[in-house]
Amino acid sequence: MTVGLYGGSFNPIHTGHTQLASWLVEHGIVDELWLLVSPQNPLKVNASLLDDRQRLHLAHLAVEGLRGVRVSDFEFRLPRPSYMVHTLAALRLTYPDRDFVLVIGADNWHRFPQWYHADEIMRHHRILIYPREGFPIDEAALPDGVILLQTPLYDVSSTQIRDAIAHNPAYNGFGLNPRVWAEIKAKGNFFNSQFTIHNS
């Protein structure tokens, strides 16, 4: 079984994440797609980062009913800070019957040489790159085992959503699964004091 690993903070998870995940499964690129929710790194404090379990809960709400898409808290049980090379090594030991491929955006591919032990990741795993606006990829220059996907562009980001929640009283949850938006509105304390839920 081929499992795509799509890691991120998902802060919060949005429709771009889930649409990409479903696209990969529906087009037979992977058999399953695991949204690997990254725990908060204690060495890099981010005041706008939701609590680990809150982000995980919202991710579970977002994938309800999506065929072949799972949410994983695997990294929650690993030492921190989390490095993908260590996560992948642990996954290989835990699930020896699965072929894990790494799914990253073109922006992350541009930064990939700075990833911790990037060469080791490439030795053990294929990498699937999805396009991101403003980050061109020279497909002919990609090394073996690295594939550029022709997925749609998903014009939504967690940063934009957090900013809209904080500063736009007219924001109505655009870019969020309705279940996720309802949960955020119902429990505004998901966000710290700089994020205020505006109820019109």
Side-chain angles (χ1 to χ4, degrees), residues 45-64:
V45 177
N46 182 344
S48 66
L49 189 64
L50 294 175
D51 174 79
D52 298 349
R53 293 291 169 183
Q54 293 167 341
R55 289 181 288 116
L56 185 71
H57 174 59
L58 294 178
H60 278 294
L61 290 176
V63 305
E64 285 181 12

Side-chain angles (χ1 to χ4, degrees), residues 25-60:
V25 174
E26 290 168 2
H27 285 78
I29 308 298
V30 296
D31 298 307
E32 286 186 350
L33 192 289
W34 293 6
L35 296 169
L36 195 65
V37 180
S38 301
Q40 184 169 353
N41 183 345
L43 302 180
K44 186 178 180 182
V45 177
N46 182 344
S48 66
L49 189 64
L50 294 175
D51 174 79
D52 298 349
R53 293 291 169 183
Q54 293 167 341
R55 289 181 288 116
L56 185 71
H57 174 59
L58 294 178
H60 278 294

Side-chain angles (χ1 to χ4, degrees), residues 1 11 25-26 34 36 42-44 46-47 60 91 99 122 138 145 157 167 174 189:
M1 174 183 285
N11 186 48
V25 174
E26 290 168 2
W34 293 6
L36 195 65
L43 302 180
K44 186 178 180 182
N46 182 344
H60 278 294
L91 283 165
D99 173 26
M122 293 183 63
D138 181 359
S157 78
H167 302 112
F174 174 79
N189 61 352

